[in-house]
Amino acid sequence: MELQVHSHDWRRRLPDWPQAVCAGLVGGAVLMVLEMLWSVSVSGSTPWRTSHLLAAIVMGEDTLQSSAFSLGVVTIALVTHYVLGVVFGVLLAFVIAGFRYESNTGMLEFIGAMFGTLLYLVNFHVMSLFFPWMADLRGWSTFIGHLVFGLVVVITYQWLEERKADR
C-alpha cells in the first residue's frame, strides 16, 4: 500500500475557468442579496443607495446626488458588481488551484474567509482613498457579507469541481 502525501506548496496550475466564473457569479449574487436585505430590513435605508454608491465608481460622483431608483444606475451597478465578483472569483480559484486545495474543505473555508476579509479591507479601506463615498459602506454587515462571499465562492468552486470529477 502506497501512501501519497499531497504537498500544498505553490505549483503553477490553472483553475477551471468556467467554474471559477460561475463561482464568482454565485458569490456575487449571494452578496448582493445580503446587501439588499440588510439595507431594507436592518438599516432602514433605500435598497438603491448601495446601487448608487457602486455605480458612482463607473459613472462618477454625480450619481450620488440621488438614491431613488434609476434603471441606468441599477444596471451599471449590477454589471460592476458581477464583473468584480467574477474577477475576485477567478483570483480565488487561481489560488485554490495553485496550492491544490480543491479537496480540503477546511482549508478552502479558511482561504475563503481570509480572502473575504482581505477583500473587505482592500475595497473599503484602500479603494476608498480613490472612491471616498465607498467608506459609507464600512461596517460589520459589509464585512460579514464579504466573508460570506469568500466562503460561497470556494464552496461553489469545490462543488463544481466534484461534479466535474463525477462525470
Side-chain angles (χ1 to χ4, degrees):
M1 181 169 143
E2 185 177 321
L3 177 64
Q4 292 184 346
V5 178
H6 294 287
S7 173
H8 290 293
D9 57 332
W10 178 262
R11 295 229 167 87
R12 186 171 181 191
R13 198 177 113 208
L14 297 176
D16 189 314
W17 298 119
Q19 292 173 6
V21 168
C22 286
L25 288 171
V26 170
V30 169
L31 177 57
M32 183 177 56
V33 169
L34 288 175
E35 289 171 346
M36 294 283 272
L37 289 173
W38 182 264
S39 68
V40 172
S41 65
V42 177
S43 71
S45 68
T46 174
W48 312 119
R49 177 179 164 263
T50 303
S51 296
H52 282 265
L53 293 170
L54 191 56
I57 293 171
V58 175
M59 299 174 74
E61 289 186 62
D62 291 342
T63 308
L64 302 173
Q65 300 304 318
S66 169
S67 61
F69 176 79
S70 165
L71 183 58
V73 169
V74 171
T75 301
I76 294 297
L78 284 172
V79 169
T80 304
H81 186 80
Y82 280 114
V83 166
L84 290 172
V86 166
V87 167
F88 295 135
V90 166
L91 181 61
L92 191 47
F94 187 76
V95 170
I96 292 167
F99 284 106
R100 300 199 277 176
Y101 283 125
E102 291 96 333
S103 61
N104 188 335
T105 303
M107 186 55 81
L108 278 178
E109 291 170 354
F110 176 76
I111 290 170
M114 290 300 100
F115 187 85
T117 299
L118 181 63
L119 189 59
Y120 171 80
L121 292 172
V122 168
N123 285 346
F124 299 102
H125 292 276
V126 175
M127 294 308 291
S128 64
L129 297 172
F130 304 100
F131 308 108
W133 56 88
M134 294 304 287
D136 291 347
L137 294 176
R138 289 181 188 159
W140 284 106
S141 63
T142 306
F143 175 69
I144 291 168
H146 282 73
L147 279 178
V148 170
F149 170 82
L151 290 168
V152 168
V153 169
V154 296
I155 290 168
T156 303
Y157 186 76
Q158 180 187 36
W159 181 76
L160 291 170
E161 281 285 304
E162 289 171 356
R163 285 194 50 150
K164 182 180 176 183
D166 289 343
R167 290 186 204 164

